């Protein structure tokens, strides 16, 4: 079974942060999880808020837990609020239903992890996650 390596996760984090600086994002926090939901790599930029890691982790963790990106989770939460309340309860509040949690797929299309980013608006967070995943030679799944 393919797995996400530390080298790939580090590349994702560094490239995502570089994209954030290039595009003028607010200070970002990045969390890269493997397919089992374990943190492989993460960084918090100077002046990134104290809750940003928990939000970034929750975006990635929710995407992995449901098998679709956090953008899709947010869309479904709007359409099916009772379903989202159930997810929030069973996850003990750990998932975040906003864009910025992107699934990482290998060349064969298998999910090998997820990236969560928090710090700017959700669309910018997501764009930085995609840039990191692509820089590592992997496929980003944003659900669009």
């Amino acid at each position: 079974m393919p797995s996400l390596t530390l080298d790939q996760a580090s590349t994702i984090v560094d490239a995502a942060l570089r994209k954030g600086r290039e595009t003028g994002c607010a200070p970002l926090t990045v969390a890269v999880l493997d397919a089992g939901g374990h943190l492989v790599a993460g960084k918090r930029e100077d002046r990134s808020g104290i809750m940003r890691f928990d939000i970034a982790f929750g975006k990635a963790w929710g995407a992995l837990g449901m098998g679709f990106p956090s953008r899709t989770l947010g869309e479904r939460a709007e359409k099916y609020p009772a379903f989202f309340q159930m997810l929030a309860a069973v996850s003990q509040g750990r998932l975040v239903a906003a864009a910025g949690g992107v699934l990482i797929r290998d060349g064969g299309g298998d999910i090998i992890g997820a990236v969560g980013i928090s710090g700017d608006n959700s669309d910018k967070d997501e764009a930085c996650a995609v840039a990191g995943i692509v820089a590592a030679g992997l496929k980003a799944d944003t659900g669009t």
Side-chain angles (χ1 to χ4, degrees):
M1 177 179 198
S3 62
L4 183 67
T5 68
L6 176 59
D7 187 51
Q8 289 169 319
S10 296
T11 296
I12 292 167
V13 170
D14 292 339
L17 292 175
R18 189 167 43 255
K19 177 73 171 180
R21 292 308 98 235
E22 291 169 359
T23 57
C25 288
L28 301 175
T29 298
V30 182
V32 180
L33 310 183
D34 65 16
H38 303 284
L39 182 68
V40 178
K43 285 187 179 178
R44 178 193 154 278
E45 288 186 302
D46 296 344
R47 300 181 327 280
S48 185
I50 63 171
M51 291 180 58
R52 295 298 182 178
F53 177 79
D54 294 324
I55 295 167
F57 189 94
K59 287 179 178 184
W61 193 85
L64 283 170
M66 291 305 296
F68 48 78
S70 63
R71 173 181 295 280
T72 304
L73 184 58
E75 292 166 355
R76 290 187 184 183
E78 288 179 19
K79 291 179 186 176
Y80 308 104
F83 178 69
F84 180 74
Q85 288 175 340
M86 181 271 307
L87 287 179
V90 300
S91 71
Q92 299 170 346
R94 289 188 290 181
L95 62 86
V96 175
V102 179
L103 293 172
I104 304 167
R105 294 185 182 272
D106 66 12
D110 292 324
I111 296 172
I112 60 169
V115 180
I117 298 184
S118 179
D120 209 295
N121 73 54
S122 294
D123 290 334
K124 289 182 177 182
D125 292 346
E126 182 179 84
C128 292
V130 169
I133 294 167
V134 170
L138 299 165
K139 295 181 181 182
D141 179 353
T142 62
T144 57

